Amino acid sequence: MAVCMLILGGGYAQVTTPNNQPFGTDNFVGWDNTVTTEPLMIKHEANQPIDLFTNDIHRFRLLPDATYVVNPNLPAKLADGWALLCPDVAGFLSLGAPGPFSLLHLADGQNAFMSSDREWMNIGITFTGNRDMGYIGQKAYGMDRTDMVFHWSDDPGEAAADRARFLFTSGYNASAPTGATSAEGLEGMRLFVEDDDNINVGIGDWFAANFNDPTITEPEERLDVVDGRVRIRQLPTELAADSLDKFVVVDPDGVLGWRNVPPGTLGCEWDQYGGANNLRTAWPGAAAGCPDEDSHVGIGTSPVLGKLTILETASVPSAGEHGIHLTMEADDDSNYGLTIRLDNKPGHASNLSNGIDVLSNNAAGTTKGTRSRAYMASGLVATGDVMGVEAIGSIYGTVRNVMATRSTVDIQSSGSLTHDAFGVYSTVTNLATDSSSARYLYGVYGQVSGPFDQEQRAIYGRSNTCTDCWAGYFQGKVKITGK
């Protein structure tokens, strides 16, 4: 309907019909004489929209109140005072749109799939362009219960084509392919719709990442950090979660996962057994691909030469530092600081089995292959013996010789001995103030006991046949009872 305006002396333009008949004094453009502040007003009370044109093209429409259907699958909406701003309002409406979709609707004039609209998209701004739709505004879900919503959409079946992105730009640099000065801008985050049920959040500049590596396209996990690191500045202050039995792991692609603390479904490097906090590794019966009885454990070294290999290479070792340090507070009658058992597999014979093989290499000072010390603390009274070393050789089969202790001094041709060599050196020192209860002091004590009528030697000495070689040599008196 064509509309004309007649400028009157009252400060407003009277809205008239094509034949210059006024619609009424309530319809005008200008200043209302009844209002002392005289605001600029466009007043139309004929229950018709107000339209604006430029270049004879319909650009803007403001509705009085209207009820119509936007999404054909939902009830009608009450468009009360809603506005549509568009390069061609008439062209947009001719494509099937009934009017603005929300309180303010910005449209490019092309068709928008109205099935993306929802009933709650009312108090906000709707964007339709390039055949897609977005909405920013309120979403009410009850009395005084309102969410602020950032929404975007796509055509059915094309969810993965459109993303929500957060971009920052500064001064333009035509030679910058990425970043804040580039034509694209600096991307801080994107939301990627993987399918109708999943949205992945990507942190970082995904555009720049794809520019440098075309294989990087979209966030592939629920949270995907394309560059940079993740930092937690404050960890929980609650007590340690000792009762939890899962821990976080990272795969070679940087994807986080979790595993059970052993024993778990994988049961691999470590196993918790015995119904308590006992840990073991490299045990028989481990799952495939896990450390088993054929695997070794190394601490500070590679390769691992034994079942357990330890290497200490401290540049400045502290005084008294130990490769292995064991302190055991026992509360039982029978305790062992270290137990070593060496068994040959059934059907496998070995010419030499060493329970302990100690090699000590010292550049200067005293070198001790093995040092053993047993002591009683001051104030304690021993009910049994105190032995620095106890050696027991037990046999249950037939062997050639059995030796509880064997001592060998091997002076190599490259060695040079400036003093004596001792196969066995034994010293007994008595500094006790009261030794009246002591029976005897023995530097070496030998005893042989057996039921057989055969030759037995408590102490056996053998020497080469040289001028000054002695199988037995004593400084001091010698007492022999018997033959």
Side-chain angles (χ1 to χ4, degrees):
M1 176 182 296
V3 177
C4 297
M5 293 188 298
L6 177 63
I7 304 297
L8 304 177
Y12 61 88
Q14 181 75 47
V15 180
T16 63
T17 63
N19 56 2
N20 287 334
Q21 298 298 317
F23 281 135
T25 59
D26 291 333
N27 302 285
F28 61 85
V29 177
W31 289 266
D32 186 355
N33 290 335
T34 63
V35 181
T36 58
T37 56
E38 296 186 349
L40 178 65
M41 301 178 64
I42 300 176
K43 189 174 182 181
H44 188 18
E45 295 188 353
N47 198 28
Q48 294 294 322
I50 293 178
D51 295 325
L52 299 179
F53 293 76
T54 60
N55 288 340
D56 203 27
I57 300 176
H58 192 182
R59 308 292 194 182
F60 175 82
R61 167 162 288 185
L62 176 63
L63 297 180
D65 61 77
T67 301
Y68 49 78
V69 173
V70 178
N71 188 333
N73 300 310
L74 295 173
K77 285 186 170 184
L78 174 59
D80 190 358
W82 291 10
L84 173 65
L85 180 62
C86 179
D88 185 359
V89 172
F92 178 71
L93 298 177
S94 69
L95 296 176
F101 295 178
S102 64
L103 190 60
L104 177 59
H105 185 167
L106 308 180
D108 70 348
Q110 299 185 35
N111 185 25
F113 285 91
M114 294 178 289
S115 60
S116 296
D117 185 75
R118 296 295 185 266
E119 287 185 88
W120 47 265
M121 294 181 182
N122 298 317
I123 311 302
I125 303 175
T126 298
F127 306 85
T128 56
N130 196 32
R131 301 174 61 87
D132 291 313
M133 173 185 166
Y135 171 84
I136 298 176
Q138 293 183 321
K139 180 183 184 298
Y141 60 95
M143 179 59 66
D144 199 22
R145 297 290 185 269
T146 310
D147 293 338
M148 191 65 192
V149 173
F150 169 81
H151 156 270
W152 81 104
S153 65
D154 203 347
D155 311 336
E158 298 181 7
D162 294 339
R163 302 147 306 181
R165 303 172 64 205
F166 296 82
L167 302 177
F168 171 81
T169 62
S170 61
Y172 176 66
N173 181 0
S175 62
T178 60
T181 62
S182 67
E184 180 70 17
L186 175 64
E187 182 177 7
M189 183 174 70
R190 73 170 54 180
L191 282 74
F192 171 70
V193 182
E194 191 173 36
D195 52 46
D196 287 344
D197 298 309
N198 297 282
I199 293 180
N200 295 339
V201 178
I203 303 296
D205 194 339
W206 289 82
F207 179 85
N210 177 259
F211 180 85
N212 296 320
D213 183 357
T215 63
I216 300 176
T217 55
E218 304 292 348
E220 298 178 356
E221 304 294 337
R222 182 69 73 217
L223 177 62
D224 197 337
V225 181
V226 72
D227 53 15
R229 296 177 296 186
V230 177
R231 178 176 181 176
I232 301 176
R233 288 187 175 270
Q234 183 174 355
L235 293 173
T237 57
E238 297 86 355
L239 295 177
D242 296 331
S243 61
L244 301 183
D245 58 358
K246 294 177 174 58
F247 60 95
V248 176
V249 294
V250 183
D251 73 3
D253 294 327
V255 179
L256 300 182
W258 65 267
R259 288 185 56 184
N260 284 318
V261 174
T265 55
L266 300 179
C268 208
E269 287 82 4
W270 293 96
D271 177 64
Q272 188 173 352
Y273 70 98
N277 295 325
N278 300 318
L279 292 179
R280 63 181 177 181
T281 187
W283 72 93
C290 300
D292 55 18
E293 65 270 25
D294 294 329
S295 302
H296 293 172
V297 178
I299 300 177
T301 182
S302 178
V304 181
L305 304 177
K307 189 67 175 180
L308 174 62
T309 303
I310 300 175
L311 175 63
E312 170 59 74
T313 58
S315 57
V316 184
S318 60
E321 187 168 342
H322 310 280
I324 299 177
H325 181 86
L326 171 64
T327 299
M328 180 175 177
E329 295 184 357
D331 56 1
D332 202 334
D333 292 338
S334 179
N335 297 282
Y336 303 92
L338 177 64
T339 301
I340 297 177
R341 176 173 177 174
L342 181 63
D343 292 334
N344 288 329
K345 291 184 177 180
H348 292 76
S350 175
N351 291 329
L352 179 63
S353 295
N354 297 321
I356 299 178
D357 188 1
V358 178
L359 175 62
S360 180
N361 185 13
N362 190 7
T366 302
T367 300
K368 300 177 182 179
T370 302
R371 179 188 179 190
S372 178
R373 179 185 179 191
Y375 73 98
M376 291 294 296
S378 176
L380 299 180
V381 178
T383 59
D385 299 329
V386 176
M387 291 172 280
V389 176
E390 180 184 11
I392 301 174
S394 299
I395 61 173
Y396 296 91
T398 302
V399 299
R400 186 177 61 180
N401 298 316
V402 57
M403 291 168 280
T405 301
R406 176 181 177 181
S407 177
T408 300
V409 176
D410 187 7
I411 302 175
Q412 300 292 325
S413 59
S414 60
S416 176
L417 185 65
T418 60
H419 287 74
D420 301 328
F422 303 91
V424 176
Y425 182 90
S426 176
T427 300
V428 177
T429 301
N430 183 7
L431 300 178
T433 58
D434 183 9
S435 59
S436 59
S437 60
R439 296 177 56 191
Y440 302 102
L441 302 178
Y442 300 94
V444 176
Y445 179 84
Q447 179 179 343
V448 176
S449 177
F452 307 105
D453 186 11
Q454 63 185 88
E455 187 175 354
Q456 302 178 23
R457 300 178 176 90
I459 297 178
Y460 176 81
R462 180 177 179 181
S463 174
N464 292 331
T465 57
C466 60
T467 303
D468 197 14
C469 296
W470 309 91
Y473 183 90
F474 303 93
Q475 288 185 350
K477 296 186 293 183
V478 178
K479 181 177 181 180
I480 302 175
T481 62
K483 297 182 181 180

